Amino acid sequence: MAFTHIDKQGNAIMVDVGGKEPSQREAIAKGRIKMSEACFAAVREGSAKKGDVLGTARIAGIMAVKKTPDLIPLCHTILITKASIEFTLLPDTYEVEATCIARSEGRTGVEMEALTGVSVALLTIYDMCKAIDRTMEIGKICLYEKSGGKSGHYLRNETAAGETK
């Protein structure tokens, strides 16, 4: 398989998507942040000293979706039609799962936007809670699902990816 971001001379290039037909595209990315019991309680109860952790992280993630081409080299600037961040609290493991949905109608996918959104949302949680718990761990960031474009629909197979449900 040839790399699409490298020309014949080995130079980095931006892929030309001009010949592609526009289509509705959606990507869903997920990730988690694991924290101490005390930190999890502060997030859940909204009692962190820096304020509304999840509300701020939601805004940061949405902003990151829109700024992805400024952060990822060779990433196309695309019109985002939807960007959302949702959080699921997992009290058994003291984790917060972030889910980012990004949509666009265009010639290239929104996977990088969804992955960037979820990453920045989790980093924001870390930033807002580091005074409570500096041992937090961010992980399990992955593309969960995508649709649209030439490659069609993709749904992550958790078992094949070596994870347990």
Side-chain angles (χ1 to χ4, degrees):
M1 174 178 235
F3 290 108
T4 58
H5 285 76
I6 299 173
D7 69 12
K8 292 175 185 173
Q9 292 77 38
N11 299 310
I13 60 168
M14 180 180 252
V15 175
D16 183 357
V17 296
K20 290 182 168 183
E21 288 297 319
S23 67
Q24 292 289 330
R25 296 163 183 269
E26 178 178 273
I28 301 170
K30 295 185 179 200
R32 292 184 181 185
I33 185 166
K34 185 170 180 56
M35 58 190 64
S36 67
E37 183 178 0
C39 187
F40 185 84
V43 171
R44 182 183 59 222
E45 295 161 11
S47 62
K49 288 182 181 177
K50 286 192 174 182
D52 180 6
V53 172
L54 298 182
T56 303
R58 178 175 289 112
I59 292 169
I62 291 168
M63 290 174 63
V65 167
K66 296 170 22 174
K67 290 292 193 178
T68 300
D70 295 335
L71 302 169
I72 308 294
L74 310 177
C75 195
H76 289 85
T77 300
I78 60 176
L79 177 63
I80 301 296
T81 59
K82 175 187 173 102
S84 68
I85 304 282
E86 296 299 326
F87 298 104
T88 304
L89 300 178
L90 304 168
D92 292 345
T93 57
Y94 306 122
E95 291 177 294
V96 176
E97 181 176 74
T99 302
C100 179
I101 300 173
R103 282 193 201 131
S104 178
E105 182 177 346
R107 292 181 163 94
T108 190
V110 290
E111 295 93 340
M112 294 311 301
E113 286 75 8
L115 288 162
T116 301
V118 81
S119 298
V120 170
L122 294 170
L123 286 167
T124 301
I125 292 171
Y126 186 96
D127 181 51
M128 294 189 72
C129 295
K130 66 186 178 220
I132 303 168
D133 179 9
R134 291 193 185 273
T135 68
M136 289 177 283
E137 294 180 18
I138 295 172
K140 298 185 179 180
I141 297 171
C142 65
L143 177 66
Y144 183 76
E145 186 172 5
K146 75 155 275 302
S147 61
K150 188 170 75 172
S151 63
H153 186 254
Y154 164 83
L155 180 61
R156 182 177 177 85
N157 179 335
E158 300 292 327
T159 306
E163 297 179 15
T164 56
K165 289 192 173 193

